[in-house]
Amino acid sequence: MAIGQPISMVDSQLRVSGGIDYTLNFELPRMLHACMLRSPHAHARVVNVDAARAAKLPGVAAVLTCADLIGDHIDPYFGLIIQDQTPVALDRVRFVGEPVAAVAAADADTAAEAVAHIDVEYEELPAVFDAEEALRSGAPLLYPGPRRVIPGRPDVTARSLEGTNIVHLFKQRKGDVAQGFRESDQIFENAFASPAVNHVALEPHVVVAQVTDGRITVWTCSQNPHVIQRQLAGIFKVPIADVRVIVFTLGGGFGGKLNSKLEPAAVILARKTGRPVRIAALRAECFLLGVQHECKIKLKTGVKRDGTLMAAEALCYYNSGAYGDTSPNLITRGYAATGPYRVPHLYMDSYGVYTNTAPSAAFRGYGITQVAWAHERQMDIIADGLGLDPVELRLKNILQKGDAFTTGEPMPEMHYNELIASAVEKIAWKKGSLVVREGNKIRAKGIGVIVKGMATPTTSTSTVKLNADASLNVLTSSVEMGQGLKTALAQIAASEIGLPVGRVRISEPDTAFTPFDLMTAASRATFCMGTAIREAVKDIRGQLLDIAAAQLEASKDDLLLQDGKIMVRGVAGKALSYVDAIRLSKANNLLGHGVFVSGSGPDGNPVVMDFETGQGYGSAEWHPAVVVCEVEVDTETGQVTVLRIHAELYAGKVINPRLCELQIEGATTFGLGQVLFEEVAQDTNGAIANPNLSDYMIPSFQDVPAELTV
């Protein structure tokens, strides 16, 4: 059985030999190259755009300006939840770097030269960069008019308030927080901040667009091909069937490639020129296409002398930047502002806020890392204040199976006691002091405990095809982006059908042929798409059993599928091969279809939270994890050395142990970067000051501890 085996990635040979197809390397005959003109202002009205000089340059094929976004032929607004983006600015710019125009030319150098010949007249407006300041009365408004919210989101419609910079507000009310503070022996109040950081995927954002007979084809590095398809169909007012989105393997995504970015502009230019158009973002432009939300969190927590948590008040301010993007969903992760702990009384407000900064986007951990930093730092502050061991404080309050979370729902398998016990043993927590000074060096141990949900509700569909030679094609819109998804899905399909993994092929997403998948993100692809594939293979298994039962004159209950054969249990030699079964079907292949919809919690109740109280169900699945580490600081030089890290988590059934380990090793390295180095810095005018890999630092292998275990 393939499930549970640490097999190599099915595309490993292609990876090491340079055989992987990436959109960055994709070319078409007569392809043009496009560059964007970007705003030098954080907030300004666009008074006039004059592209006449640019259009006259030799090699220039077309120029895109706001004039192309006006008329019945186009609806230029798009967005995941709030449709507040346009391919280029219409009447105002809202951050330094917002696209104002684009040029398609014979080569990228000519396009870049032409962009410099576009004349734009601006009228500067006051700008606001801080989320809290943007909520104050009199702050500059980024979107003065009504919001364009997609259907089915009454919560966002109600709280993305016209006349404010609120993208969305999520509330939680549980118990009586005033009573909880009265019953507390000590109250701790702290404020925490985390900066914006960039995804730094190895592959930048890139798209190739082609329009033929009104039909749109886009090759793009997206984690969300069907959403890109739907957005483009809406913008260009064509049937979804006339938009085809093709996705190769991604060179990294990490949440930054979920929404349309360059695709709409590329399609407009392809329409205007009648030729394929490629837009590839420079590294500096990748910083303008999405960063992790800068976040401020204020925590007020009441505790008993013995460390029992009694009440918490949490205010979360997620800086959405200039677009809504994923913020209306992401800010609901304020439900974890008090961590995976029992807190009987809770008052929490979580804001997504428009500011004149680069747009925020989904980022690995999806809003949880910001609150985890806050709640775990405060737990250490509380432990110090009460004279308690940080581990003992956590164990005293940690969620157990069946305990109510901040949403009020009973939590399923938590396993924190086992995870913490194992982790502290690995780090030798109780051996010696937690903090040791030797000369100018201080060495200390630390622990972090986290809970994360998954995207819910969610839908995945798959089609599988058992061919005449008993090989299996799996058609899926899930995206391989380095995480080994193709391998995991192949293992699931192979185990379900009783074939070797080498006989299974997982498709690339192509919306003309591969069925719908919500997205590849949010801890969902292996579980959700894997379940859809299992259902599709069960469909084929049923067909094989029907054929074999008639041919072998046996009950289906007595049949067993294994190694490409349907065998009768307990009767040696009485079997029918898949090849013969397919031949007997007269169809030359067997097709199976599977759908997985997750919209309910473990007890079957719908995953939905009350509009006013935030009580209900926040996720179909919850993921517990613990990380411990030992760190050394040189007090003379400031040098920080992470000596060892151990991550402990409960993953349920593991499809491929090695790939699971690699995911956690990668996530741990991500965390190191955010803690030690990474920060998108802005100057006083709102421009990003370090949009490159010389000034924006990410971890190297020298920064990874010698001991990193999972």
Side-chain angles (χ1 to χ4, degrees):
M1 191 168 176
I3 287 180
Q5 300 303 310
I7 68 171
S8 298
M9 293 172 71
V10 295
D11 54 359
S12 56
Q13 186 170 352
L14 291 174
R15 288 180 178 277
V16 299
S17 63
I20 292 285
D21 292 322
Y22 293 104
T23 307
L24 190 63
N25 302 328
F26 182 69
E27 295 184 359
L28 288 173
R30 302 175 62 245
M31 186 173 73
L32 299 168
H33 299 260
C35 289
M36 313 286 276
L37 174 66
R38 297 183 177 276
S39 166
H41 304 294
H43 200 192
R45 288 190 181 90
V46 179
V47 178
N48 185 54
V49 180
D50 185 353
R53 290 194 302 135
K56 292 177 182 177
L57 281 180
V60 171
V63 180
L64 162 63
T65 69
C66 54
D68 295 291
L69 308 182
I70 300 169
D72 294 336
H73 66 290
I74 192 168
D75 181 1
Y77 296 97
F78 64 95
L80 287 173
I81 298 156
I82 301 175
Q83 296 176 321
D84 52 11
Q85 293 181 247
T86 53
V88 295
L90 259 177
D91 57 351
R92 70 164 71 187
V93 292
R94 295 176 173 87
F95 69 99
V96 175
E98 179 153 15
V100 179
V103 174
D107 56 71
D109 289 340
T110 301
E113 180 185 358
V115 159
H117 285 71
I118 299 174
D119 300 309
V120 184
E121 181 184 350
Y122 298 98
E123 178 190 330
E124 285 196 66
L125 299 169
V128 61
F129 307 120
D130 179 82
E132 279 192 275
E133 290 181 12
L135 292 176
R136 291 176 185 151
S137 176
L141 288 180
L142 273 72
Y143 296 91
R147 307 286 161 77
R148 299 174 179 87
V149 181
I150 63 171
R153 291 303 300 266
D155 56 329
V156 181
T157 300
R159 288 190 173 145
S160 181
L161 298 176
E162 184 177 351
T164 75
N165 287 316
I166 296 175
V167 177
H168 190 205
L169 167 61
F170 173 67
K171 298 179 177 180
Q172 275 192 314
R173 306 289 186 263
K174 180 182 177 184
D176 184 336
V177 74
Q179 175 188 332
F181 284 128
R182 286 195 301 270
E183 294 176 353
S184 299
D185 296 318
Q186 195 164 343
I187 295 174
F188 294 82
E189 292 189 67
N190 305 101
F192 304 92
S194 53
V197 298
N198 191 244
H199 305 78
V200 194
L202 205 59
E203 176 191 35
H205 295 264
V206 58
V207 59
V208 176
Q210 181 173 263
V211 181
T212 306
D213 295 330
R215 296 185 177 182
I216 298 166
T217 304
V218 167
W219 293 261
T220 185
C221 53
S222 173
Q223 298 172 238
N224 215 345
H226 280 275
V227 163
I228 303 297
Q229 179 192 40
R230 187 179 71 234
Q231 290 179 340
L232 292 176
I235 292 169
F236 298 104
K237 298 184 176 182
V238 298
I240 287 177
D242 284 348
V243 180
R244 182 181 181 189
V245 177
I246 300 168
V247 176
F248 303 131
T249 293
L250 269 58
F254 315 119
K257 297 175 178 177
L258 285 172
N259 190 22
S260 288
K261 304 288 185 181
L262 306 172
E263 293 87 353
V267 172
I268 292 174
L269 289 168
R271 265 182 152 189
K272 292 187 73 169
T273 61
R275 294 170 62 177
V277 172
R278 177 184 191 263
I279 306 179
L282 301 174
R283 179 57 62 185
E285 290 180 301
C286 291
F287 282 75
L288 303 172
L289 295 173
V291 296
Q292 185 188 39
H293 292 69
E294 177 192 27
C295 191
K296 291 183 178 181
I297 295 175
K298 298 178 179 180
L299 287 179
K300 178 182 176 182
T301 303
V303 298
K304 290 286 192 182
R305 289 188 185 87
D306 65 358
T308 302
L309 300 178
M310 295 299 297
E313 181 179 283
L315 299 175
C316 308
Y317 302 96
Y318 287 93
N319 190 331
S320 183
Y323 306 144
D325 203 85
T326 62
S327 295
N329 284 343
L330 181 139
I331 60 124
T332 64
R333 273 48 182 177
Y335 57 46
T338 55
Y341 304 111
R342 294 184 299 274
V343 182
H345 306 287
L346 172 68
Y347 180 105
M348 191 281 299
D349 283 345
S350 183
Y351 291 86
V353 187
Y354 284 122
T355 67
N356 295 112
T357 60
S360 298
F363 188 98
R364 192 172 193 171
Y366 201 62
I368 293 292
T369 54
Q370 294 97 319
V371 294
W373 148 243
H375 67 64
E376 286 306 274
R377 181 70 192 100
Q378 193 183 57
M379 287 295 280
D380 285 343
I381 292 170
I382 292 171
D384 287 345
L386 298 178
L388 298 174
D389 181 283
V391 168
E392 296 307 317
L393 176 65
R394 286 167 170 83
L395 286 171
K396 186 174 191 65
N397 295 283
I398 202 74
L399 289 168
Q400 305 293 333
K401 181 177 181 179
D403 282 346
F405 189 44
T406 61
T407 58
E409 67 196 273
M411 296 300 271
E413 302 166 288
M414 288 286 93
H415 298 282
Y416 281 114
N417 288 54
E418 303 99 302
L419 296 174
I420 292 173
S422 179
V424 298
E425 182 182 352
K426 297 287 195 312
I427 203 78
W429 184 272
K430 296 182 179 179
K431 185 178 180 181
S433 301
L434 294 180
V435 181
V436 176
R437 178 185 284 273
E438 295 178 355
N440 61 305
K441 293 185 177 180
I442 297 176
R443 190 169 62 253
K445 299 169 186 174
I447 183 170
V449 184
I450 195 169
V451 64
K452 182 184 181 295
M454 60 173 285
T456 311
T458 186
T459 300
S460 291
T461 57
S462 178
T463 298
V464 297
K465 180 177 66 169
L466 187 62
N467 299 301
D469 64 349
S471 59
L472 188 73
N473 288 108
V474 177
L475 301 180
T476 170
S477 292
S478 293
V479 179
E480 172 63 56
M481 50 188 176
Q483 80 279 47
L485 181 63
K486 281 187 174 181
T487 306
L489 297 183
Q491 288 179 262
I492 291 169
S495 294
E496 196 68 34
I497 196 67
L499 288 172
V501 172
R503 302 286 291 172
V504 178
R505 296 292 179 268
I506 307 295
S507 74
E508 306 281 14
D510 180 341
T511 59
F513 305 104
T514 55
F516 178 83
D517 187 29
L518 180 67
M519 59 181 168
T520 305
S523 310
R524 63 172 299 280
T526 299
F527 173 57
C528 299
M529 183 54 70
T531 305
I533 289 170
R534 289 185 66 201
E535 294 301 313
V537 174
K538 285 179 182 178
D539 188 351
I540 287 182
R541 285 172 59 96
Q543 297 173 53
L544 289 172
L545 290 172
D546 286 338
I547 295 166
Q551 184 68 20
L552 299 174
E553 298 180 338
S555 168
K556 286 193 289 186
D557 294 337
D558 293 330
L559 298 179
L560 174 69
L561 276 69
Q562 186 175 319
D563 299 327
K565 295 179 181 178
I566 309 111
M567 297 173 283
V568 180
R569 298 177 193 272
V571 183
K574 194 171 184 180
L576 183 69
S577 70
Y578 292 178
V579 171
D580 287 337
I582 295 167
R583 177 176 52 79
L584 289 169
S585 76
K586 302 288 196 276
N588 285 316
N589 60 32
L590 299 180
L591 298 176
H593 186 64
V595 179
F596 174 74
V597 179
S598 174
S600 59
D603 60 1
N605 285 313
V607 175
V608 62
M609 290 177 283
D610 181 81
F611 186 62
E612 291 298 330
T613 66
Q615 298 298 289
Y617 280 78
S619 176
E621 299 285 344
W622 293 96
H623 310 306
V626 177
V627 175
V628 290
C629 65
E630 188 169 19
V631 179
E632 184 178 83
V633 179
D634 188 317
T635 58
E636 290 186 358
T637 66
Q639 176 69 37
V640 176
T641 303
V642 181
L643 301 173
R644 52 179 170 166
I645 289 181
H646 177 75
E648 194 92 20
L649 65 156
Y650 177 72
K653 179 179 285 189
V654 175
I655 305 303
N656 186 311
R658 184 61 189 132
L659 292 182
C660 188
E661 290 171 0
L662 286 169
Q663 279 277 51
I664 306 309
E665 290 170 5
T668 304
T669 307
F670 249 68
L672 276 177
Q674 292 175 61
V675 168
L676 298 178
F677 311 117
E678 298 186 49
E679 176 178 3
V680 176
Q682 292 181 319
D683 64 22
T684 55
N685 296 317
I688 295 177
N690 59 338
N692 56 70
L693 298 186
S694 296
D695 300 317
Y696 183 89
M697 306 304 294
I698 59 174
S700 75
F701 278 111
Q702 290 184 336
D703 300 307
V704 177
E707 293 184 51
L708 197 170
T709 53
V710 177

